[in-house]
Amino acid sequence: AQSVTQLGSHVSVSEGALVLLRCNYSSSVPPYLFWYVQYPNQGLQLLLKYTTGATLVKGINGFEAEFKKSETSFHLTKPSAHMSDAAEYFCAVTVIQGAQKLVFGQGTRLTINP
Amino acid sequence: EAQVTQNPRYLITVTGKKLTVTCSQNMNHEYMSWYRQDPGLGLRQIYYSMNVEVTDKGDVPEGYKVSRKEKRNFPLILESPSPNQTSLYFCASRPSGQPWGEQYFGPGTRLTVT
């Protein structure tokens, strides 16, 4: 079965600083990996995803993530944080076999300091 | 506009009083799913449906029922709610057979059971 671990339930950075949100996954078969963002009082919105091919994927709002199979990681980064990036971020994994369900990490709340 | 809608958005009820949370999508998606979101636990799948009349349990199905009589609708039923079902609930949908595809989430239903 798949699982996801997000390191750090809360991350705080200054406006303009690098954003790094960590995600490690466990899967016995090739995974599909996702980052979703949840703004206050809203549903989840897809930021980016890795399926196959290029391991560095770019998403919306300047975010990107790199799939590292050897490290079983899919960390999310943004070079320069903006106040509007304050939200909760979820890493998720699924596979093509079985029920194909999406398994989420615990979430990381990102705070941006002015 | 492609969307997933949920009703109600907020609900306060008492223990044991049956309730239904509706979910509807207008994207002709076969796959629909219900999640609950709790602090520190991320999103956990309650039930999912691969298509009309096909439903199955997720990770936390106890105390919940679902039905899928039409493609667009996937209601969540709590026949005898208890305080431990106080949570934020999300419905989601995607095309079936595409686990790598984006899941589209509704805006959420915040349920309080007293």
Side-chain angles (χ1 to χ4, degrees):
Chain A
Q2 309 86 258
S3 66
V4 174
T5 301
Q6 291 182 238
L7 300 177
S9 58
H10 290 90
V11 170
S12 180
V13 302
S14 298
E15 190 174 18
L18 171 73
V19 175
L20 171 60
L21 304 182
R22 299 178 187 273
C23 171
N24 287 90
Y25 71 92
S26 171
S27 176
S28 58
V29 297
Y32 302 114
L33 295 159
F34 305 79
W35 275 98
Y36 282 85
V37 60
Q38 183 182 30
Y39 297 105
N41 299 314
Q42 294 186 27
L44 279 72
Q45 176 184 353
L46 182 67
L47 264 183
L48 51 78
K49 64 179 181 180
Y50 169 79
T51 54
T52 58
T55 56
L56 181 64
V57 294
K58 296 185 185 298
I60 61 172
N61 302 335
F63 284 92
E64 61 183 38
E66 187 170 11
F67 170 60
K68 292 187 176 181
K69 185 178 178 181
S70 61
E71 299 177 8
T72 61
S73 69
F74 191 56
H75 301 332
L76 181 70
T77 60
K78 181 174 181 178
S80 178
H82 191 272
M83 296 298 291
S84 61
D85 294 327
E88 187 149 22
Y89 293 79
F90 293 94
C91 183
V93 63
T94 190
V95 297
I96 198 167
Q97 297 175 350
Q100 302 177 359
K101 69 178 181 180
L102 196 58
V103 175
F104 286 87
Q106 305 91 321
T108 298
R109 182 166 299 279
L110 176 65
T111 302
I112 312 296
N113 302 312
Chain B
E1 178 190 357
Q3 60 181 349
V4 178
T5 57
Q6 295 179 229
N7 282 292
R9 292 289 312 278
Y10 302 90
L11 180 59
I12 301 174
T13 190
V14 296
T15 299
K17 186 177 181 181
K18 180 179 179 180
L19 66 92
T20 299
V21 183
T22 64
C23 172
S24 183
Q25 51 93 5
N26 62 1
M27 294 168 280
N28 204 36
H29 288 163
E30 296 87 1
Y31 184 99
M32 297 186 74
S33 184
W34 275 103
Y35 298 89
R36 60 177 290 172
Q37 182 183 0
D38 301 291
L41 297 177
L43 279 78
R44 294 176 292 167
Q45 191 182 57
I46 303 170
Y47 268 94
Y48 67 97
S49 170
M50 300 288 273
N51 213 327
V52 176
E53 302 292 0
V54 180
T55 64
D56 208 346
K57 297 177 180 179
D59 295 317
V60 288
E62 294 78 20
Y64 304 95
K65 287 178 59 177
V66 293
S67 69
R68 186 89 182 274
K69 299 188 187 310
E70 307 167 279
K71 198 175 200 179
R72 63 183 293 127
N73 297 322
F74 190 43
L76 179 70
I77 303 157
L78 285 71
E79 296 216 325
S80 184
S82 63
N84 65 10
Q85 293 178 297
T86 293
S87 188
L88 180 58
Y89 292 86
F90 288 101
C91 180
S93 74
R94 65 163 170 79
S96 195
Q98 296 183 19
W100 55 84
E102 176 180 358
Q103 284 207 26
Y104 294 83
F105 284 82
T109 296
R110 186 167 293 281
L111 172 65
T112 302
V113 183
T114 62

